[in-house]
Amino acid sequence: MRCSVVILNWNGAEMMRRYLPSVVQHTDGEDIEVVVADNGSTDESLRVLREEFPSVRVIILDKNYGFAEGYNRAIAQIDSEYTVLLNSDVEVTTGWLNPLLSYMDSHPQTAACQPKILSWTSKEKGEQPVRFEHAGAAGGMMDALGYPFCRGRVMSKVETDDGQYDSIVPVFWTSGAAMCVRTAVYQETGGLDASFFAHMEEIDLCWRMQCRGYELVCVPQSVVYHLGGGSLNYESPRKTYLNFRNNLLMLYKNLPSCRLAAVLLCRLLLDYAAAGQFLLKGQGKNALSVVQARRDFWRMLDSGMREKRKTNRRLATVGYPSIISNKLVLFR
């Protein structure tokens, strides 16, 4: 099999009815399959898949393993050269997969790529031009303190798509909303870290792949539309908790020793400043989530997490991201 497009589902029957038809329609080829991995759903998801999408291969997991481990368990049952991780709230377009696979075929050092990710909500509202979507936009970057952002999105500010990012360029991370990855490299680098459960796990994976000398790119000739916030909305205290905790875990696992202490000290100050800002906005639960995230980060630094850091640093050829003159620079 050349490629498996894998959608992780948890209680998303209505989401599948809305978005899966476009994936089935526009993902064709004798050596390409559409797979839904069901993460222990308790709604009518399995019946919907069986009756309404008989051409889709279904992998049934016995419980909700979260985004990271759910994908790991599903991809363990995939034998395709390429795997596409695709969110259940993504609408794809005609020919969307061809540019991704063609680029990967001709660039063997590229481990993963992503399409241009536009806002489904913006399209449905008839906005012209359409806005980029928050989770991925035109490829992910990360600043010197470990804050991720995208070409087309910085913090909560999202640009409209005027063709300004229509060139294929290297990026620091590719979005888990729509990521085409070499299945062998995914397995070789350990897949998504299950301890993250959800959020930032794809950035951690991309960092590990880059540290092993692989490249990542955005291929904007491929276009998809992402609803976003399908599992947790952007103001959810749970999302805030996972983002802050997992960002710290990612930095701990991947930063070189010469930078780790300084970055974590800066983040201590900035994280509590963020908690204060939540309080000023009247979002007390989000402020508490930041505090809990920092507490749980330190609790999770057990021998297993320390061993992951040792492994990552031992295999790293590059390690620290910085944005200098709008160019991504990686250095130890």
Side-chain angles (χ1 to χ4, degrees):
M1 189 73 66
R2 186 184 183 203
C3 180
S4 297
V5 178
V6 183
I7 299 169
L8 192 66
N9 171 70
W10 180 71
N11 288 347
E14 292 308 311
M15 203 76 76
M16 286 191 292
R17 284 192 171 113
R18 181 185 298 179
Y19 296 102
L20 189 52
S22 75
V23 181
V24 173
Q25 179 183 356
H26 299 303
T27 306
D28 51 11
E30 293 183 0
D31 54 354
I32 297 172
E33 64 175 352
V34 177
V35 181
V36 172
D38 188 78
N39 225 353
S41 292
T42 56
D43 68 351
E44 59 176 347
S45 289
L46 292 178
R47 183 184 65 78
V48 168
L49 287 166
R50 182 176 61 253
E51 296 179 0
E52 301 179 25
F53 302 99
S55 66
V56 172
R57 176 187 170 191
V58 179
I59 294 174
I60 301 176
L61 304 177
D62 62 317
K63 65 178 182 179
N64 182 9
Y65 288 95
F67 185 90
E69 183 62 11
Y71 262 119
N72 288 343
R73 288 175 177 261
I75 294 174
Q77 301 181 51
I78 298 296
D79 59 3
S80 299
E81 181 180 4
Y82 302 115
T83 298
V84 177
L85 286 66
L86 190 70
N87 276 14
S88 60
D89 57 350
V90 170
E91 178 183 290
V92 304
T93 60
T94 303
W96 73 284
L97 195 54
N98 292 335
L100 303 177
L101 298 183
S102 294
Y103 188 89
M104 297 286 278
D105 283 344
S106 58
H107 295 79
Q109 200 57 31
T110 298
C113 63
Q114 72 158 75
K116 181 194 295 186
I117 303 176
L118 300 177
S119 168
W120 184 87
T121 302
S122 178
K123 178 178 74 75
E124 288 300 294
K125 289 180 178 179
E127 296 178 0
Q128 292 295 332
V130 176
R131 287 180 286 111
F132 285 101
E133 210 285 311
H134 186 274
M141 298 294 199
M142 191 161 68
D143 71 14
L145 292 178
Y147 290 109
F149 63 98
C150 301
R151 298 163 68 241
R153 187 269 297 173
V154 177
M155 303 294 284
S156 60
K157 302 297 182 182
V158 182
E159 300 176 29
T160 57
D161 176 25
D162 293 309
Q164 67 271 42
Y165 301 117
D166 278 356
S167 298
I168 298 175
V169 297
V171 295
F172 188 78
W173 56 274
T174 53
S175 173
M179 175 195 292
C180 179
V181 62
R182 295 184 191 276
T183 307
V185 175
Y186 183 97
Q187 302 287 11
E188 169 194 326
T189 51
L192 299 170
D193 189 332
S195 63
F196 282 43
F197 189 78
H199 296 294
M200 301 248 179
E201 66 288 300
E202 81 267 42
I203 306 179
D204 172 63
L205 172 63
C206 289
W207 198 339
R208 280 182 275 131
M209 289 192 292
Q210 284 199 106
C211 282
R212 287 155 174 79
Y214 292 105
E215 298 174 352
L216 303 107
V217 300
C218 176
V219 182
Q221 289 70 33
S222 172
V223 178
V224 302
Y225 295 91
H226 183 212
L227 174 64
S231 55
L232 291 172
N233 68 58
Y234 292 116
E235 294 184 355
S236 163
R238 176 64 173 168
K239 182 183 281 284
T240 298
Y241 168 83
L242 289 170
N243 277 333
F244 275 81
R245 187 199 68 179
N246 292 349
N247 186 265
L248 292 171
L249 288 172
M250 176 182 66
L251 294 174
Y252 174 81
K253 287 176 59 181
N254 296 290
L255 277 173
S257 299
C258 64
R259 299 294 306 178
L260 181 61
V263 171
L264 289 182
L265 177 59
C266 290
R267 290 301 301 272
L268 170 68
L269 302 175
L270 292 170
D271 285 356
Y272 280 111
Q277 187 177 39
F278 279 127
L279 282 175
L280 291 175
K281 292 179 179 179
Q283 299 177 8
K285 290 183 178 180
N286 279 298
L288 181 60
S289 291
V290 176
V291 176
Q292 291 173 333
R294 292 199 57 85
R295 177 201 64 194
D296 290 349
F297 159 66
W298 289 107
R299 288 179 175 177
M300 291 178 70
L301 298 189
D302 57 10
S303 58
M305 192 62 67
R306 291 191 175 93
E307 189 59 35
K308 289 178 183 178
R309 171 175 171 76
K310 289 180 181 178
T311 300
N312 291 347
R313 298 312 311 147
R314 184 177 71 252
L315 297 176
T317 57
V318 293
Y320 185 63
S322 180
I323 303 301
I324 302 173
S325 301
N326 295 322
K327 294 183 179 179
L328 181 65
V329 179
L330 295 169
F331 54 94
R332 293 188 70 82

